[in-house]
Amino acid sequence: AQSVSQHNHHVILSEAASLELGCNYSYGGTVNLFWYVQYPGQHLQLLLKYFSGDPLVKGIKGFEAEFIKSKFSFNLRKPSVQWSDTAEYFCAVNPYNTDKLIFGTGTRLQVFP
Amino acid sequence: ETGVTQTPRHLVMGMTNKKSLKCEQHLGHNAMYWYKQSAKKPLELMFVYNFKEQTENNSVPSRFSPECPNSSHLFLHLHTLQPEDSALYLCASSQASGTSGTGYQETQYFGPGTRLLVL
């Protein structure tokens, strides 16, 4: 079955530390990839997405993600986190030409000043 | 405020009750989605409507019945639910091109959710 794995369930960092959140998926075909974020008390919102082209995708608030097809991975990165990045982060995969969207279980990020 | 509203925000119902969740989007989108968010489980896509046509039913039990009367409104009718159906139900909308699989090319905007408790 198609699935998305986010191995880091809870990450705690100090401000200015670098961040990398892992995302791996199991699907052999073409996929579209997403990272969503949910800040405390706010709606789920899109952080960035990959459909085609440059595998290094830049999103809002200084986040980026790299699609490595051979590793079935789409890891999220930020060189220097801020306290305001405290949130839950979800990776999601859309198998091409379907309306399915499969989410990972999420990673809770806490950033301390 | 994302332009997607959901009512009610909280709902408590018994297993024999019938209730409906409502979602309305004010963004002019033509695709709408229902998701279920349970504790410690991945967010689950339940239903997708593109141009008022259901294009995805993710093996959802028949006690959940969606309805999309127009491109701005989406309902989720609930009947004879089980306690394990207690969860946060999220609605989202996006601009779809009408071709399956491209509804996600445009950003989905999520509503605040309805917190459902089934007793």
Side-chain angles (χ1 to χ4, degrees), chain A residues 4 32 34 36 38 43-46 49 51 88 90 94-106, chain B residues 1-2 35 37 41-43 45 48 50 55-56 58 90 100-108 110-112:
Chain A
V4 177
N32 301 313
F34 306 81
Y36 286 85
Q38 190 166 28
H43 303 172
L44 197 65
Q45 59 184 289
L46 182 69
K49 59 187 176 185
F51 277 77
E88 189 147 17
F90 298 91
N94 162 230
Y96 183 73
N97 223 27
T98 76
D99 274 336
K100 295 184 186 299
L101 189 62
I102 304 149
F103 281 82
T105 50
Chain B
E1 183 60 50
T2 63
Y35 292 86
Q37 188 172 30
K41 291 180 68 176
L43 189 63
L45 177 67
V48 179
N50 280 317
T55 57
E56 178 66 27
N58 194 21
L90 295 172
S100 177
T102 59
Y104 300 114
Q105 284 191 345
E106 301 299 327
T107 300
Q108 285 188 80
F110 284 81

CSV table of all heavy atoms in Angstrom, one decimal, chain A residues 4 32 34 36 38 43-46 49 51 88 90 94-106, chain B residues 1-2 35 37 41-43 45 48 50 55-56 58 90 100-108 110-112:
chain,number,residue,atom,x,y,z
A,4,VAL,N,3.4,7.2,3.5
A,4,VAL,CA,4.4,8.2,3.6
A,4,VAL,C,4.9,8.1,5.1
A,4,VAL,O,4.2,8.1,6.0
A,4,VAL,CB,3.7,9.6,3.4
A,4,VAL,CG1,4.8,10.7,3.7
A,4,VAL,CG2,3.2,9.7,2.0
A,32,ASN,N,3.5,13.8,-7.1
A,32,ASN,CA,3.6,15.2,-6.8
A,32,ASN,C,3.8,15.2,-5.2
A,32,ASN,O,3.2,14.4,-4.5
A,32,ASN,CB,2.4,16.0,-7.2
A,32,ASN,CG,2.1,15.9,-8.7
A,32,ASN,OD1,3.0,16.1,-9.5
A,32,ASN,ND2,0.9,15.6,-9.1
A,34,PHE,N,4.4,17.4,-1.4
A,34,PHE,CA,4.0,18.6,-0.6
A,34,PHE,C,4.5,18.5,0.8
A,34,PHE,O,4.7,17.5,1.4
A,34,PHE,CB,2.4,18.6,-0.5
A,34,PHE,CG,1.7,18.5,-1.8
A,34,PHE,CD1,1.5,17.3,-2.4
A,34,PHE,CD2,1.3,19.7,-2.5
A,34,PHE,CE1,0.9,17.2,-3.7
A,34,PHE,CE2,0.6,19.6,-3.7
A,34,PHE,CZ,0.4,18.4,-4.3
A,36,TYR,N,3.1,20.5,4.3
A,36,TYR,CA,2.1,21.4,4.9
A,36,TYR,C,2.5,21.7,6.3
A,36,TYR,O,3.2,20.9,6.9
A,36,TYR,CB,0.7,20.7,4.9
A,36,TYR,CG,0.0,20.6,3.6
A,36,TYR,CD1,0.3,19.6,2.7
A,36,TYR,CD2,-0.9,21.6,3.2
A,36,TYR,CE1,-0.4,19.5,1.5
A,36,TYR,CE2,-1.6,21.5,2.0
A,36,TYR,CZ,-1.3,20.4,1.2
A,36,TYR,OH,-2.0,20.3,0.0
A,38,GLN,N,1.1,23.4,10.2
A,38,GLN,CA,0.0,23.8,11.0
A,38,GLN,C,0.6,24.5,12.2
A,38,GLN,O,1.1,23.8,13.1
A,38,GLN,CB,-0.9,22.6,11.4
A,38,GLN,CG,-2.2,23.0,12.0
A,38,GLN,CD,-3.2,21.9,12.1
A,38,GLN,OE1,-2.8,20.7,12.1
A,38,GLN,NE2,-4.5,22.3,12.1
A,43,HIS,N,-5.0,27.2,10.8
A,43,HIS,CA,-5.4,26.3,9.8
A,43,HIS,C,-4.1,25.6,9.2
A,43,HIS,O,-3.0,26.2,9.2
A,43,HIS,CB,-6.1,27.0,8.7
A,43,HIS,CG,-7.3,27.7,9.1
A,43,HIS,ND1,-8.0,28.5,8.3
A,43,HIS,CD2,-8.0,27.7,10.3
A,43,HIS,CE1,-9.1,29.0,8.9
A,43,HIS,NE2,-9.0,28.6,10.1
A,44,LEU,N,-4.3,24.4,8.7
A,44,LEU,CA,-3.3,23.7,7.9
A,44,LEU,C,-3.0,24.6,6.6
A,44,LEU,O,-4.0,25.1,6.0
A,44,LEU,CB,-3.8,22.4,7.5
A,44,LEU,CG,-2.8,21.3,7.0
A,44,LEU,CD1,-1.9,20.9,8.2
A,44,LEU,CD2,-3.6,20.1,6.6
A,45,GLN,N,-1.8,24.8,6.3
A,45,GLN,CA,-1.5,25.6,5.1
A,45,GLN,C,-0.3,25.0,4.4
A,45,GLN,O,0.6,24.3,4.9
A,45,GLN,CB,-1.2,27.0,5.4
A,45,GLN,CG,-0.1,27.2,6.4
A,45,GLN,CD,0.1,28.7,6.8
A,45,GLN,OE1,0.5,29.5,5.9
A,45,GLN,NE2,-0.3,29.1,8.0
A,46,LEU,N,-0.3,25.3,3.1
A,46,LEU,CA,0.8,24.7,2.2
A,46,LEU,C,2.1,25.5,2.4
A,46,LEU,O,2.1,26.7,2.5
A,46,LEU,CB,0.4,24.8,0.7
A,46,LEU,CG,1.4,24.3,-0.3
A,46,LEU,CD1,1.4,22.7,-0.2
A,46,LEU,CD2,1.0,24.7,-1.7
A,49,LYS,N,5.6,22.8,-2.6
A,49,LYS,CA,5.2,21.7,-3.4
A,49,LYS,C,6.2,21.4,-4.5
A,49,LYS,O,6.8,22.4,-5.0
A,49,LYS,CB,3.8,21.9,-3.9
A,49,LYS,CG,3.7,23.1,-4.8
A,49,LYS,CD,2.2,23.4,-5.1
A,49,LYS,CE,2.0,24.7,-5.9
A,49,LYS,NZ,0.6,25.0,-6.2
A,51,PHE,N,6.2,19.5,-8.4
A,51,PHE,CA,5.5,18.8,-9.4
A,51,PHE,C,6.5,18.3,-10.5
A,51,PHE,O,6.3,17.2,-11.0
A,51,PHE,CB,4.4,19.7,-10.0
A,51,PHE,CG,3.2,19.8,-9.2
A,51,PHE,CD1,3.1,20.5,-8.1
A,51,PHE,CD2,2.1,19.0,-9.6
A,51,PHE,CE1,1.9,20.5,-7.3
A,51,PHE,CE2,0.9,19.0,-8.9
A,51,PHE,CZ,0.8,19.7,-7.7
A,88,GLU,N,3.4,22.0,13.6
A,88,GLU,CA,3.5,20.6,13.1
A,88,GLU,C,3.6,20.6,11.6
A,88,GLU,O,2.9,21.4,10.9
A,88,GLU,CB,2.2,19.9,13.6
A,88,GLU,CG,2.3,18.4,13.3
A,88,GLU,CD,1.5,17.5,14.4
A,88,GLU,OE1,0.7,18.1,15.1
A,88,GLU,OE2,1.8,16.3,14.5
A,90,PHE,N,3.7,18.4,8.0
A,90,PHE,CA,3.2,17.2,7.4
A,90,PHE,C,3.7,17.1,5.9
A,90,PHE,O,3.6,18.0,5.2
A,90,PHE,CB,1.6,17.2,7.3
A,90,PHE,CG,1.0,17.3,8.6
A,90,PHE,CD1,0.6,18.5,9.2
A,90,PHE,CD2,0.6,16.1,9.3
A,90,PHE,CE1,0.0,18.5,10.5
A,90,PHE,CE2,0.0,16.1,10.5
A,90,PHE,CZ,-0.3,17.3,11.1
A,94,ASN,N,1.0,12.9,-3.7
A,94,ASN,CA,-0.1,12.7,-4.7
A,94,ASN,C,0.4,11.8,-5.8
A,94,ASN,O,1.2,12.4,-6.7
A,94,ASN,CB,-0.6,14.1,-5.1
A,94,ASN,CG,-1.5,14.0,-6.4
A,94,ASN,OD1,-1.2,14.8,-7.3
A,94,ASN,ND2,-2.5,13.2,-6.4
A,95,PRO,N,0.0,10.6,-5.9
A,95,PRO,CA,0.4,9.8,-7.1
A,95,PRO,C,-0.2,10.4,-8.4
A,95,PRO,O,-1.4,10.9,-8.4
A,95,PRO,CB,-0.3,8.4,-6.9
A,95,PRO,CG,-0.5,8.4,-5.4
A,95,PRO,CD,-0.8,9.8,-5.0
A,96,TYR,N,0.7,10.6,-9.4
A,96,TYR,CA,0.3,11.3,-10.5
A,96,TYR,C,-0.9,10.8,-11.2
A,96,TYR,O,-1.2,9.6,-11.3
A,96,TYR,CB,1.5,11.3,-11.5
A,96,TYR,CG,1.3,12.1,-12.8
A,96,TYR,CD1,1.4,13.5,-12.7
A,96,TYR,CD2,1.0,11.5,-14.0
A,96,TYR,CE1,1.2,14.2,-13.9
A,96,TYR,CE2,0.8,12.2,-15.1
A,96,TYR,CZ,0.9,13.6,-15.1
A,96,TYR,OH,0.7,14.4,-16.2
A,97,ASN,N,-1.8,11.7,-11.7
A,97,ASN,CA,-3.0,11.4,-12.4
A,97,ASN,C,-4.0,10.7,-11.5
A,97,ASN,O,-4.9,10.0,-12.0
A,97,ASN,CB,-2.7,10.5,-13.6
A,97,ASN,CG,-3.5,11.0,-14.8
A,97,ASN,OD1,-3.8,12.1,-14.9
A,97,ASN,ND2,-3.7,10.0,-15.7
A,98,THR,N,-4.0,11.0,-10.2
A,98,THR,CA,-5.0,10.5,-9.3
A,98,THR,C,-5.4,11.7,-8.4
A,98,THR,O,-4.7,12.7,-8.4
A,98,THR,CB,-4.6,9.4,-8.4
A,98,THR,OG1,-3.7,9.9,-7.3
A,98,THR,CG2,-3.8,8.3,-9.1
A,99,ASP,N,-6.5,11.6,-7.8
A,99,ASP,CA,-6.9,12.6,-6.8
A,99,ASP,C,-6.6,12.1,-5.4
A,99,ASP,O,-7.1,12.7,-4.4
A,99,ASP,CB,-8.4,12.9,-6.9
A,99,ASP,CG,-8.7,13.9,-8.0
A,99,ASP,OD1,-7.7,14.7,-8.2
A,99,ASP,OD2,-9.8,14.0,-8.5
A,100,LYS,N,-5.8,11.1,-5.2
A,100,LYS,CA,-5.4,10.6,-3.9
A,100,LYS,C,-4.3,11.6,-3.3
A,100,LYS,O,-3.5,12.1,-4.1
A,100,LYS,CB,-4.8,9.2,-4.0
A,100,LYS,CG,-5.8,8.2,-4.4
A,100,LYS,CD,-5.1,6.8,-4.3
A,100,LYS,CE,-6.1,5.7,-4.9
A,100,LYS,NZ,-7.3,5.7,-4.1
A,101,LEU,N,-4.4,11.8,-2.0
A,101,LEU,CA,-3.3,12.6,-1.3
A,101,LEU,C,-3.1,11.8,0.0
A,101,LEU,O,-3.9,11.7,0.8
A,101,LEU,CB,-3.8,14.0,-1.1
A,101,LEU,CG,-2.7,15.0,-0.6
A,101,LEU,CD1,-1.6,15.1,-1.6
A,101,LEU,CD2,-3.3,16.3,-0.3
A,102,ILE,N,-1.8,11.3,0.1
A,102,ILE,CA,-1.5,10.5,1.2
A,102,ILE,C,-0.5,11.3,2.1
A,102,ILE,O,0.5,11.7,1.7
A,102,ILE,CB,-0.8,9.2,0.8
A,102,ILE,CG1,-1.7,8.5,-0.2
A,102,ILE,CG2,-0.5,8.3,1.9
A,102,ILE,CD1,-1.0,7.7,-1.3
A,103,PHE,N,-0.9,11.4,3.4
A,103,PHE,CA,-0.1,12.2,4.4
A,103,PHE,C,0.7,11.3,5.3
A,103,PHE,O,0.4,10.1,5.6
A,103,PHE,CB,-1.1,13.0,5.3
A,103,PHE,CG,-1.6,14.2,4.6
A,103,PHE,CD1,-2.7,14.2,3.8
A,103,PHE,CD2,-1.0,15.5,4.9
A,103,PHE,CE1,-3.2,15.4,3.2
A,103,PHE,CE2,-1.5,16.6,4.3
A,103,PHE,CZ,-2.6,16.6,3.5
A,104,GLY,N,1.8,11.9,5.7
A,104,GLY,CA,2.6,11.3,6.8
A,104,GLY,C,1.9,11.6,8.1
A,104,GLY,O,1.0,12.4,8.2
A,105,THR,N,2.4,11.0,9.2
A,105,THR,CA,1.8,11.3,10.5
A,105,THR,C,2.2,12.6,11.1
A,105,THR,O,1.6,13.0,12.1
A,105,THR,CB,2.3,10.2,11.5
A,105,THR,OG1,3.7,10.1,11.5
A,105,THR,CG2,1.7,8.8,11.2
A,106,GLY,N,3.1,13.3,10.5
A,106,GLY,CA,3.5,14.6,11.0
A,106,GLY,C,4.7,14.6,11.9
A,106,GLY,O,5.0,13.6,12.6
B,1,GLU,N,-8.0,33.6,8.7
B,1,GLU,CA,-9.1,33.3,7.9
B,1,GLU,C,-8.7,33.0,6.5
B,1,GLU,O,-8.0,33.8,5.8
B,1,GLU,CB,-10.0,34.6,7.9
B,1,GLU,CG,-11.3,34.4,7.1
B,1,GLU,CD,-12.2,33.2,7.7
B,1,GLU,OE1,-12.4,33.2,8.9
B,1,GLU,OE2,-12.6,32.4,6.9
B,2,THR,N,-9.0,31.8,6.0
B,2,THR,CA,-8.6,31.3,4.7
B,2,THR,C,-9.6,31.5,3.6
B,2,THR,O,-9.3,31.2,2.5
B,2,THR,CB,-8.1,29.9,4.8
B,2,THR,OG1,-9.3,29.1,5.1
B,2,THR,CG2,-7.0,29.7,5.8
B,35,TYR,N,-11.4,15.8,4.8
B,35,TYR,CA,-10.3,15.1,5.4
B,35,TYR,C,-10.7,14.7,6.9
B,35,TYR,O,-11.5,15.4,7.5
B,35,TYR,CB,-9.0,15.9,5.6
B,35,TYR,CG,-8.3,16.2,4.3
B,35,TYR,CD1,-8.7,17.3,3.5
B,35,TYR,CD2,-7.3,15.5,3.8
B,35,TYR,CE1,-8.0,17.7,2.3
B,35,TYR,CE2,-6.6,15.8,2.6
B,35,TYR,CZ,-7.0,16.9,1.9
B,35,TYR,OH,-6.3,17.2,0.7
B,37,GLN,N,-8.9,14.0,10.6
B,37,GLN,CA,-7.6,14.1,11.3
B,37,GLN,C,-7.9,13.5,12.7
B,37,GLN,O,-8.5,14.1,13.5
B,37,GLN,CB,-7.1,15.5,11.4
B,37,GLN,CG,-5.7,15.6,12.0
B,37,GLN,CD,-5.2,17.1,12.0
B,37,GLN,OE1,-5.9,18.0,12.0
B,37,GLN,NE2,-3.9,17.2,11.9
B,41,LYS,N,-2.6,9.6,14.1
B,41,LYS,CA,-2.8,8.9,12.8
B,41,LYS,C,-2.6,9.9,11.7
B,41,LYS,O,-2.8,11.1,11.9
B,41,LYS,CB,-4.2,8.3,12.6
B,41,LYS,CG,-4.4,7.1,13.5
B,41,LYS,CD,-5.9,6.6,13.3
B,41,LYS,CE,-6.1,6.0,12.0
B,41,LYS,NZ,-7.4,5.4,11.8
B,42,PRO,N,-2.2,9.5,10.5
B,42,PRO,CA,-2.0,10.5,9.4
B,42,PRO,C,-3.3,11.1,9.0
B,42,PRO,O,-4.4,10.5,9.2
B,42,PRO,CB,-1.5,9.6,8.3
B,42,PRO,CG,-0.9,8.4,8.9
B,42,PRO,CD,-1.8,8.1,10.1
B,43,LEU,N,-3.2,12.3,8.6
B,43,LEU,CA,-4.4,13.0,8.0
B,43,LEU,C,-4.9,12.1,6.8
B,43,LEU,O,-4.1,11.7,6.0
B,43,LEU,CB,-4.0,14.4,7.5
B,43,LEU,CG,-5.1,15.3,7.1
B,43,LEU,CD1,-6.0,15.7,8.2
B,43,LEU,CD2,-4.5,16.6,6.5
B,45,LEU,N,-7.4,11.7,3.6
B,45,LEU,CA,-8.3,12.2,2.6
B,45,LEU,C,-9.5,11.3,2.5
B,45,LEU,O,-9.4,10.1,2.4
B,45,LEU,CB,-7.6,12.3,1.2
B,45,LEU,CG,-8.5,12.8,0.1
B,45,LEU,CD1,-8.8,14.2,0.2
B,45,LEU,CD2,-7.7,12.6,-1.2
B,48,VAL,N,-13.2,13.7,-2.6
B,48,VAL,CA,-12.8,14.8,-3.4
B,48,VAL,C,-13.9,15.1,-4.4
B,48,VAL,O,-14.5,14.1,-5.0
B,48,VAL,CB,-11.5,14.5,-4.2
B,48,VAL,CG1,-11.1,15.7,-5.2
B,48,VAL,CG2,-10.3,14.2,-3.3
B,50,ASN,N,-14.5,17.4,-7.8
B,50,ASN,CA,-14.1,18.4,-8.8
B,50,ASN,C,-15.3,18.8,-9.7
B,50,ASN,O,-15.9,17.9,-10.2
B,50,ASN,CB,-13.0,17.7,-9.8
B,50,ASN,CG,-11.6,17.6,-9.1
B,50,ASN,OD1,-11.2,18.6,-8.5
B,50,ASN,ND2,-11.0,16.5,-9.2
B,55,THR,N,-14.7,12.6,-7.4
B,55,THR,CA,-13.6,11.9,-8.1
B,55,THR,C,-12.8,11.0,-7.2
B,55,THR,O,-11.9,10.3,-7.7
B,55,THR,CB,-12.7,13.0,-8.8
B,55,THR,OG1,-12.2,13.9,-7.8
B,55,THR,CG2,-13.5,13.8,-9.8
B,56,GLU,N,-13.0,11.1,-5.9
B,56,GLU,CA,-12.2,10.2,-5.0
B,56,GLU,C,-13.1,9.9,-3.8
B,56,GLU,O,-13.7,10.7,-3.2
B,56,GLU,CB,-11.0,10.9,-4.6
B,56,GLU,CG,-10.1,10.1,-3.6
B,56,GLU,CD,-9.5,8.9,-4.2
B,56,GLU,OE1,-9.3,8.8,-5.4
B,56,GLU,OE2,-9.2,7.9,-3.4
B,58,ASN,N,-12.1,7.5,-0.6
B,58,ASN,CA,-11.0,6.8,-0.1
B,58,ASN,C,-11.5,5.6,0.8
B,58,ASN,O,-11.1,5.6,2.0
B,58,ASN,CB,-10.0,7.7,0.6
B,58,ASN,CG,-8.7,7.1,0.9
B,58,ASN,OD1,-8.3,6.1,0.2
B,58,ASN,ND2,-8.0,7.6,1.9
B,90,LEU,N,-11.8,18.1,8.5
B,90,LEU,CA,-11.3,19.3,7.8
B,90,LEU,C,-11.9,19.3,6.4
B,90,LEU,O,-11.9,18.3,5.7
B,90,LEU,CB,-9.8,19.3,7.7
B,90,LEU,CG,-9.0,19.4,9.0
B,90,LEU,CD1,-7.5,19.2,8.8
B,90,LEU,CD2,-9.3,20.7,9.7
B,100,SER,N,-8.3,14.9,-13.7
B,100,SER,CA,-7.9,14.2,-12.5
B,100,SER,C,-6.4,14.3,-12.2
B,100,SER,O,-5.6,14.1,-13.1
B,100,SER,CB,-8.3,12.7,-12.7
B,100,SER,OG,-8.0,12.0,-11.5
B,101,GLY,N,-6.1,14.5,-11.0
B,101,GLY,CA,-4.7,14.5,-10.6
B,101,GLY,C,-4.1,15.9,-10.6
B,101,GLY,O,-3.0,16.1,-10.2
B,102,THR,N,-4.8,16.9,-11.1
B,102,THR,CA,-4.2,18.2,-11.2
B,102,THR,C,-4.9,19.2,-10.2
B,102,THR,O,-4.5,20.3,-10.1
B,102,THR,CB,-4.3,18.8,-12.6
B,102,THR,OG1,-5.7,18.9,-12.9
B,102,THR,CG2,-3.6,18.0,-13.6
B,103,GLY,N,-5.8,18.7,-9.4
B,103,GLY,CA,-6.4,19.6,-8.5
B,103,GLY,C,-5.5,20.1,-7.4
B,103,GLY,O,-5.7,21.1,-6.8
B,104,TYR,N,-4.4,19.3,-7.2
B,104,TYR,CA,-3.4,19.7,-6.2
B,104,TYR,C,-2.4,20.7,-6.7
B,104,TYR,O,-1.5,21.1,-5.9
B,104,TYR,CB,-2.8,18.5,-5.6
B,104,TYR,CG,-3.8,17.5,-4.9
B,104,TYR,CD1,-4.0,16.3,-5.5
B,104,TYR,CD2,-4.5,17.9,-3.8
B,104,TYR,CE1,-5.0,15.4,-4.9
B,104,TYR,CE2,-5.4,17.1,-3.2
B,104,TYR,CZ,-5.7,15.8,-3.8
B,104,TYR,OH,-6.6,15.0,-3.2
B,105,GLN,N,-2.4,20.9,-8.0
B,105,GLN,CA,-1.4,21.9,-8.5
B,105,GLN,C,-1.6,23.3,-8.0
B,105,GLN,O,-0.7,24.0,-7.8
B,105,GLN,CB,-1.4,21.9,-10.0
B,105,GLN,CG,-0.8,20.7,-10.7
B,105,GLN,CD,-0.6,20.9,-12.2
B,105,GLN,OE1,-1.2,21.7,-12.8
B,105,GLN,NE2,0.2,20.0,-12.7
B,106,GLU,N,-2.9,23.6,-7.7
B,106,GLU,CA,-3.2,24.8,-7.1
B,106,GLU,C,-3.3,24.6,-5.6
B,106,GLU,O,-3.7,23.6,-5.1
B,106,GLU,CB,-4.5,25.4,-7.7
B,106,GLU,CG,-4.4,25.6,-9.2
B,106,GLU,CD,-3.4,26.6,-9.6
B,106,GLU,OE1,-3.1,27.6,-8.8
B,106,GLU,OE2,-2.8,26.5,-10.7
B,107,THR,N,-2.9,25.6,-4.8
B,107,THR,CA,-2.9,25.5,-3.4
B,107,THR,C,-4.2,25.1,-2.8
B,107,THR,O,-5.2,25.8,-3.2
B,107,THR,CB,-2.3,26.8,-2.8
B,107,THR,OG1,-1.0,27.0,-3.3
B,107,THR,CG2,-2.3,26.7,-1.3
B,108,GLN,N,-4.3,24.2,-1.9
B,108,GLN,CA,-5.5,23.9,-1.1
B,108,GLN,C,-5.6,24.9,0.0
B,108,GLN,O,-4.6,25.1,0.7
B,108,GLN,CB,-5.5,22.5,-0.6
B,108,GLN,CG,-5.7,21.4,-1.6
B,108,GLN,CD,-5.9,20.1,-0.9
B,108,GLN,OE1,-6.9,19.7,-0.3
B,108,GLN,NE2,-4.8,19.3,-0.9
B,110,PHE,N,-7.5,25.3,3.6
B,110,PHE,CA,-8.2,24.5,4.6
B,110,PHE,C,-9.1,25.4,5.5
B,110,PHE,O,-8.7,26.5,5.8
B,110,PHE,CB,-7.2,23.7,5.5
B,110,PHE,CG,-6.6,22.6,4.8
B,110,PHE,CD1,-5.5,22.7,3.9
B,110,PHE,CD2,-7.1,21.3,5.0
B,110,PHE,CE1,-4.9,21.6,3.3
B,110,PHE,CE2,-6.5,20.2,4.4
B,110,PHE,CZ,-5.4,20.3,3.5
B,111,GLY,N,-10.2,24.8,5.9
B,111,GLY,CA,-11.0,25.4,6.9
B,111,GLY,C,-10.5,25.0,8.3
B,111,GLY,O,-9.5,24.3,8.5
B,112,PRO,N,-11.2,25.6,9.4
B,112,PRO,CA,-10.7,25.4,10.7
B,112,PRO,C,-11.0,24.0,11.3
B,112,PRO,O,-10.5,23.6,12.3
B,112,PRO,CB,-11.4,26.5,11.5
B,112,PRO,CG,-12.7,26.7,10.7
B,112,PRO,CD,-12.3,26.5,9.3
